[in-house]
Amino acid sequence: MKLGFIGLGIMGKPMAKNLVKAGHDLTVFDFKEDAVEELVADGATEAKTGKEVAEKSDVIFTMVPNSPNVEAALFNEGGVAEGLTAGKTVIDMSSINPLASQGFAKRLAKLNVGFLDAPVSGGEPKAIDGSIAIMVGGDKDLYEKNKDLLEIMGGSVTYVGAVGAGNTTKLANQVIVALNIAAVSEGFALAKKAGLDPKMVFDAIHTGLAGSTVMDAKVPMMIDRNFKPGFRVDLHIKDLQNALDTSHALHVGLPLTAEVMEILQVVKNDGNGGDDHSAIAKFYEKINDLTID
């Protein structure tokens, strides 16, 4: 099948590679030449614009940082929309404001082009091995038509409702992950200040009720002082801002999310915006004069 992929970042690049490995004819575009060259070496075809990607593809995937980036990729001069024809499909896998997703779907519908919002969760390791979770919003028949493609990139692909539902689900996910990292950091800061070995505490509690995927993935990183980004602080700030914007539009109170957002801002202001979001622990280390190691 002729596919296109725009956005070859930490997540997008391995996801695109998995489509190539599955035998699909993939055309790619990104401003990062090294990422494009890596995909071309794996068998993909380079495009110079989003328009060219759309012209050569039946289904076009976008995986970029935020709503304005998706809009630019789709509708700027030389963008995807200029190369679309009726019957093609755009699947946006970015994590963005669900209201923006709904707006993009309406604009593409005028071209008789289908649209799914299909954000992902799981971080770079799961993107590499094809086991990310994908939550999909849009027309159910369009979802069924493209489910096999999504399953190449994800271990869990779930339809959650109309356009925008995918990103609303992702925002809920990001709220829970951020609060979980903060809770883990707070608990392990207490243990370390009390003179305990964080590794021993982890071994004691990670299989109990306090255990979680977040604890299993992030506490070893904190202990090893390994903040190489699987998901950057900067991107989690973006996601929580989208969550807060959406909650305000819906008149929903998210007080804990707002508090963790402020913690993330401190982490970013200390120069750690490019770190993995497990660097939330650095805030607790800073205020308590300790390190969780």
Side-chain angles (χ1 to χ4, degrees):
M1 194 171 184
K2 293 186 180 298
L3 307 177
F5 207 106
I6 296 172
L8 304 175
I10 289 176
M11 298 293 288
K13 184 171 68 173
M15 291 162 62
K17 285 189 171 191
N18 286 333
L19 292 172
V20 174
K21 290 176 185 176
H24 289 288
D25 183 350
L26 186 69
T27 301
V28 299
F29 171 69
D30 196 292
F31 295 114
K32 300 175 183 175
E33 293 184 5
D34 56 340
V36 173
E37 290 171 0
E38 194 172 332
L39 262 294
V40 169
D42 285 348
T45 301
E46 178 182 3
K48 297 299 184 181
T49 64
K51 176 184 177 182
E52 185 182 347
V53 172
E55 289 172 340
K56 294 180 176 179
S57 308
D58 302 308
V59 178
I60 301 93
F61 296 94
T62 51
M63 184 61 164
V64 294
N66 207 352
S67 308
N69 308 99
V70 178
E71 183 169 23
L74 295 179
F75 301 110
N76 274 10
E77 182 178 353
V80 169
E82 293 182 2
L84 292 171
T85 53
K88 293 191 176 188
T89 299
V90 172
I91 302 178
D92 180 39
M93 306 193 76
S94 317
S95 296
I96 66 173
N97 190 309
L99 298 177
S101 295
Q102 293 167 355
F104 300 148
K106 290 177 181 178
R107 293 169 72 176
L108 292 173
K110 294 178 181 178
L111 304 174
N112 293 313
V113 170
F115 179 86
L116 298 173
D117 66 305
V120 309
S121 178
E124 184 183 16
K126 290 183 180 293
I128 291 170
D129 67 20
S131 65
I132 50 175
I134 305 175
M135 46 226 83
V136 189
D139 178 78
K140 184 68 178 293
D141 290 338
L142 189 63
Y143 161 76
E144 294 292 350
K145 182 179 178 181
N146 291 281
K147 185 179 179 182
D148 288 348
L149 293 176
L150 295 171
E151 287 177 336
I152 293 169
M153 296 178 283
S156 168
V157 180
T158 307
Y159 179 78
V160 291
V163 170
N167 272 302
T168 302
T169 303
K170 176 60 186 291
L171 292 182
N173 179 87
Q174 294 304 83
V175 165
I176 293 166
V177 170
L179 269 60
N180 203 336
I181 296 175
V184 165
S185 300
E186 197 163 299
F188 276 82
L190 171 65
K192 182 61 183 284
K193 199 71 171 182
L196 279 65
D197 180 343
K199 177 64 168 62
M200 295 178 71
V201 174
F202 173 78
D203 290 341
I205 70 174
H206 80 105
T207 58
L209 188 58
S212 65
T213 301
V214 165
M215 183 181 289
D216 287 343
K218 301 305 178 181
V219 171
M221 295 178 69
M222 298 173 189
I223 292 172
D224 293 341
R225 317 308 297 160
N226 170 25
F227 298 105
K228 178 183 177 183
F231 190 78
R232 299 195 307 274
V233 165
D234 286 337
L235 288 177
H236 216 138
I237 288 173
K238 178 266 297 183
D239 285 345
L240 293 193
Q241 186 62 61
N242 282 332
L244 291 167
D245 288 344
T246 302
S247 73
H248 295 161
L250 297 173
H251 307 294
V252 176
L254 301 179
L256 296 179
T257 302
E259 187 167 351
V260 175
M261 177 64 142
E262 296 308 308
I263 291 172
L264 283 165
Q265 294 290 353
V266 172
V267 175
K268 176 182 175 65
N269 290 340
D270 284 343
N272 302 308
D275 282 0
D276 185 79
H277 53 176
S278 58
I280 286 173
K282 292 184 178 181
F283 170 81
Y284 288 92
E285 294 175 340
K286 178 180 181 179
I287 65 172
N288 292 300
D289 190 26
L290 54 82
T291 56
I292 301 171
D293 59 6

